Amino acid sequence: MKKNFLLLIAALLTLQLLAQNKKIFTVKANTITSTVAPTMWGIFFEDINMGADGGIYAELIKNRSFEFTKALMGWTVTSTQSIQGFYLGSEITVVNQPDKALTNPRYIHVALNQHQKGSLGVTNEGFRGMGIKKGLRYDFSISYRQQTAQIKLHLELISEKGTVIASTVFLPAKKGAGWQNGTTSFIANETDSKAKFRIWFEGDGSIDLDMISLFPSDTWKGRKGGMRADMVEALAAMKPGFIRFPGGCIVEGHDLSTRYQWKKTVGPVEERKLIINRWNSEFAHRPAPDYFQTFGLGFYEYFQLAEDIGAAALPILNCGMSCQFNAAETVPLEALDNYIQDALDLIEFANGDSTSTWGKVRAQMGHPLPFNLTMLGVGNENWGTQYIERFQLFQAALQKKYPAIKLVGSTGFMPMGDVFDYLNKSLRNMQVSFVDEHFYNRPEWFFANATRYDSYDRNSTTKVFAGEYAGQSDRMVSPENKNNWLTALSEAAFLTGIERNAAVVNMASYAPLFAHIDGWQWTPNLIWVDNLNVMPTPNYYVQQAFATNKGTHVVPITYKNNQPATGQDSLYASAVIDKINNTLIIKLVNAAPQPQQILLNVEGLKKKPTTAISTVLQSSNLETVNTIAAPPALHPLTETLALQKNNTTVTLKPYSFTVIKIQQ
């Protein structure tokens, strides 16, 4: 009896000790602290890492109009006139005729002398190969001018092993009709991720060829000349509140001649002037001499994409300054009018009626109704007094004509220091709608800065756009950076601080977005792809978890001493109410290497539900990464969580990010 009594006392003491050490989180579900902006979690898009050409833009032919610096880059000529692998150039020549078109002056001239199939041909290597799917239709198009007798074009898809996996014949129309457009289609009988496209010429005479194009038929929404559906689907699955485009440093250019000019990216695709991509030679460790911008993905397509996936469009325009890490060119203030006019015209392109000058261009492209643009960025990672001077001129002109448009201003390339402080203060004094802050730091910075916005003025009319963030496993610009679980977990901790301070931060997006595994310049990136597959990273799943569980209002979740959980005991937390769906959503990060048991005390619910949905991202190995070659090693796992009447015990797994949804 005495032994049992002692055991009972010991058990009671143990329970009392455990109760004293319990980690208690209190959520006040009926206490609103701020609203969550509909734009809160979004997408940053830039044509880096073959994100556009060779990526989301589904064109399979590289250098389709022969306008690369080297006119036949991407093409190989097979001819009986080749000697030891060198093509002598008498049968196929590149013609540069500026009077044909200022935007697309080059084409190839093919001269045949009773050639049979197999004696003269051209092969295109695609963008690190071509992703071809068995049973899928491929749509070929071409611009041509036939001078003499009819010529046959034998079209073939060639596997990586050299076998023909699809073929057809294209017969140009009769001679003498000037430049014409032709199309045909064929179906692949094998799948190959590194295929090539070949044209064999047959006949007698000559023909001119331009805009040689090949698209898969399974583009997003089945649009001709459209986007890779699987890549767009990965974006749509995030339910983004906005999409920022076209970048990024792309906006600035190495110098002003290579800056992004939106007017050159709209209208008929064959009239869009190709330029070199600024990431072509930016990094010695990842040169990409064949990286150009064809602008098949232009501003019209960006607006259309935003509309498709339910995101607000956020275009960024050049402010009259090139990249200050490169040429650092500036346009004199007295010569800035054309840049400002581009901004005014863009708003008209997006919002003007179909009778306006630029609204008519939009309507002719297939969208008579406005895109309803509400915000616009001026400059990207620009800094100094020269930036503020130029921004002021943009602001005055834009507010005069379009006072409802919200403007985004740059706070430079770092989230702290003299440059940041000057820009942040100057832009806020100008009452800019958003200041754009960028964070490329190691994981420890993200963990430590979960409190970053706690001290910001919650009543300021200037809100924060966390425009570019990404945990760096090594260091910024290092090719050794990995999208591992440590970086993603640290971002989750940081994002709880953003969500808790939704009164201060209205938008946030990871950057960069896409990267091709064989064509990247920068790492880490949110989504990796090859020619056939899409691979979401752990970082993607973190951003997606916040975006798809956005809620409408922030509610308090407190920990020790009635304070927010911002790293005490390696725990981080935030909570929102979704008033539309009557759901309480709690986000919890355990950054410790061991499981942690917490007591979750929820006050103020309209009902007392007995279950909740718990979704967990977790790995005990902080170096875990996802790879295209295997199913995702790290992805969300969902289960039902039993709720108690009062405090519910929840075990947070080691190194985990947990989302708990309680339906009211």
Side-chain angles (χ1 to χ4, degrees):
M1 179 68 70
K2 184 177 180 181
K3 181 178 180 182
N4 290 339
F5 178 75
L6 291 174
L7 288 173
L8 178 61
I9 293 297
L12 290 173
L13 289 172
T14 301
L15 288 172
Q16 185 179 13
L17 183 62
L18 286 172
Q20 291 173 351
N21 292 329
K22 278 287 187 183
K23 300 174 173 66
I24 301 175
F25 283 83
T26 300
V27 182
K28 296 184 178 180
N30 60 351
T31 303
I32 303 298
T33 60
S34 64
T35 58
V36 179
T39 54
M40 187 59 156
W41 310 107
I43 291 169
F44 168 98
F45 186 96
E46 179 162 9
D47 188 2
I48 186 174
N49 305 312
M50 286 173 52
D53 289 281
I56 199 170
Y57 183 51
E59 172 66 81
L60 296 173
I61 303 292
K62 181 166 68 180
N63 192 15
R64 63 187 174 188
S65 60
F66 309 102
E67 300 300 331
F68 282 20
T69 306
K70 296 181 179 179
L72 288 176
M73 181 176 279
W75 295 91
T76 302
V77 178
T78 301
S79 169
T80 54
Q81 294 193 21
S82 297
I83 298 177
Q84 295 181 344
F86 291 97
Y87 174 60
L88 302 183
S90 60
E91 296 170 304
I92 296 179
T93 54
V94 177
V95 181
N96 191 325
Q97 189 175 343
D99 60 345
K100 171 179 175 284
L102 293 175
T103 56
N104 180 20
R106 289 182 186 158
Y107 57 90
I108 59 170
H109 178 74
V110 183
L112 303 176
N113 182 13
Q114 296 182 347
H115 280 67
Q116 300 298 313
K117 176 188 175 184
S119 63
L120 179 65
V122 290
T123 302
N124 190 275
E125 66 188 23
F127 299 89
R128 311 302 188 269
M130 300 177 182
I132 303 300
K133 302 174 185 176
K134 182 178 180 179
L136 186 65
R137 189 188 80 239
Y138 290 84
D139 299 326
F140 169 82
S141 64
I142 193 168
S143 178
Y144 66 90
R145 180 174 61 183
Q146 191 164 211
Q147 303 287 359
T148 54
Q150 193 170 31
I151 292 168
K152 290 183 179 180
L153 275 62
H154 296 269
L155 314 178
E156 297 176 340
L157 283 171
I158 311 299
S159 72
E160 187 176 15
K161 296 179 180 178
T163 60
V164 177
I165 59 175
S167 65
T168 192
V169 175
F170 174 72
L171 294 174
K174 292 184 179 180
K175 64 179 181 178
W179 283 95
Q180 302 174 70
N181 296 320
T183 61
T184 190
S185 300
F186 51 92
I187 295 175
N189 54 42
E190 294 292 343
T191 294
D192 197 290
S193 65
K194 296 285 187 180
K196 296 180 180 180
F197 176 71
R198 183 165 65 199
I199 303 175
W200 289 116
F201 300 102
E202 179 184 356
D204 187 17
S206 64
I207 189 170
D208 299 325
L209 304 177
D210 199 4
M211 290 299 293
I212 302 173
S213 177
L214 187 68
F215 275 87
S217 59
D218 64 343
T219 54
W220 171 252
K221 291 186 175 289
R223 292 189 180 119
K224 296 285 187 181
M227 301 188 202
R228 264 184 63 171
D230 57 346
M231 293 177 70
V232 178
E233 286 164 0
L235 303 184
M238 296 176 69
K239 296 184 180 179
F242 69 90
I243 176 168
R244 168 184 169 171
F245 59 86
C249 295
I250 284 288
V251 172
E252 301 163 293
H254 282 294
D255 54 30
L256 290 173
S257 70
T258 57
R259 74 188 189 278
Y260 198 103
Q261 300 180 62
W262 76 265
K263 290 178 179 176
K264 295 182 178 181
T265 76
V266 298
V269 68
E270 64 273 12
E271 296 178 10
R272 303 181 190 182
K273 186 174 178 58
L274 171 152
I275 66 170
I276 196 168
N277 190 299
R278 66 148 297 144
W279 301 109
N280 182 295
S281 58
E282 184 73 12
F283 300 120
H285 61 263
R286 295 292 296 185
D290 59 344
Y291 199 1
F292 288 73
Q293 291 181 278
T294 66
F295 299 119
L297 174 59
F299 258 48
Y300 176 83
E301 289 78 17
Y302 282 123
F303 277 112
Q304 191 177 51
L305 172 62
E307 184 177 73
D308 284 348
I309 62 178
L314 174 52
I316 308 294
L317 296 184
N318 189 284
C319 66
M321 301 174 68
S322 73
C323 180
Q324 287 163 274
F325 288 107
N326 295 137
E329 290 182 347
T330 57
V331 174
L333 295 178
E334 62 271 18
L336 199 61
D337 287 352
N338 287 340
Y339 289 75
I340 295 173
Q341 191 61 49
D342 278 350
L344 295 169
D345 291 344
L346 176 62
I347 298 171
E348 183 176 280
F349 175 79
N351 295 351
D353 63 50
S354 57
T355 62
S356 64
T357 300
W358 286 100
K360 184 178 180 180
V361 173
R362 182 198 68 239
Q364 289 173 339
M365 295 184 71
H367 201 285
L369 296 177
F371 282 118
N372 299 316
L373 177 69
T374 61
M375 50 188 174
L376 176 69
V378 177
N380 170 74
E381 286 191 352
N382 298 113
W383 67 83
T385 55
Q386 61 269 43
Y387 172 64
I388 294 299
E389 290 171 341
R390 283 157 181 78
F391 193 98
Q392 287 173 327
L393 295 177
F394 273 88
Q395 184 184 43
L398 290 166
Q399 287 188 343
K400 181 178 180 180
K401 189 168 184 179
Y402 298 108
I405 294 293
K406 297 178 179 179
L407 296 184
V408 179
S410 164
T411 57
F413 56 93
M414 293 291 286
M416 61 197 77
D418 292 343
V419 170
F420 174 85
D421 291 341
Y422 166 72
L423 293 170
N424 188 47
K425 181 179 179 180
S426 298
L427 291 168
R428 288 178 180 274
N429 287 341
M430 294 160 60
Q431 296 186 318
V432 171
S433 296
F434 296 99
V435 286
D436 181 8
E437 300 183 0
H438 293 180
F439 319 100
Y440 293 106
N441 295 291
R442 285 186 52 81
E444 50 265 31
W445 185 93
F446 284 93
F447 283 123
N449 278 270
T451 59
R452 176 179 176 86
Y453 296 110
D454 291 358
S455 59
Y456 273 52
D457 181 2
R458 307 180 78 79
N459 297 314
S460 173
T461 57
T462 298
K463 303 303 179 183
V464 172
F465 170 31
E468 300 182 31
Y469 80 83
Q472 313 289 290
S473 66
D474 184 21
R475 54 182 172 78
M476 189 168 66
V477 195
S478 169
E480 302 303 319
N481 282 323
K482 306 296 182 186
N483 284 102
N484 61 25
W485 179 227
L486 175 59
T487 62
L489 188 65
S490 72
E491 291 158 10
F494 180 70
L495 296 185
T496 62
I498 284 183
E499 183 167 78
R500 190 176 63 255
N501 288 286
V504 170
V505 186
N506 282 186
M507 295 188 291
S509 52
Y510 185 103
L513 179 62
F514 287 120
H516 193 293
I517 62 169
D518 295 323
W520 59 272
Q521 293 80 49
W522 176 289
T523 188
N525 304 284
L526 197 64
I527 303 169
W528 289 80
V529 303
D530 63 13
N531 290 333
L532 288 174
N533 303 286
V534 171
M535 184 201 73
T537 61
N539 315 74
Y540 169 90
Y541 288 122
V542 165
Q543 177 88 6
Q544 183 189 46
F546 277 90
T548 57
N549 296 284
K550 178 168 49 183
T552 57
H553 297 81
V554 179
V555 295
I557 178 169
T558 56
Y559 184 43
K560 290 184 174 180
N561 301 318
N562 202 32
Q563 295 297 314
T566 58
Q568 308 93 311
D569 300 321
S570 300
L571 294 168
Y572 303 79
S574 61
V576 292
I577 285 283
D578 183 345
K579 286 195 172 183
I580 298 172
N581 297 301
N582 292 318
T583 306
L584 170 65
I585 307 169
I586 302 165
K587 302 180 180 77
L588 299 157
V589 172
N590 177 19
Q594 66 277 340
Q596 297 206 65
Q597 198 173 73
I598 67 169
L599 284 179
L600 190 59
N601 177 30
V602 179
E603 301 174 357
L605 287 179
K606 297 176 183 177
K607 299 178 182 179
K608 290 291 185 180
T610 58
T611 61
I613 301 299
S614 174
T615 302
V616 181
L617 279 164
Q618 189 270 339
S619 176
S620 296
N621 180 4
L622 291 174
E623 296 299 320
T624 298
V625 297
N626 291 343
T627 64
I628 283 182
L634 198 148
H635 60 92
L637 296 175
T638 299
E639 61 184 11
T640 300
L641 175 68
L643 299 177
Q644 306 303 316
K645 274 190 175 182
N646 297 311
N647 294 340
T648 296
T649 300
V650 178
T651 300
L652 302 179
K653 295 181 179 180
Y655 298 138
S656 64
F657 171 43
T658 302
V659 179
I660 298 173
K661 299 178 71 171
I662 303 174
Q663 188 74 41
Q664 295 194 74

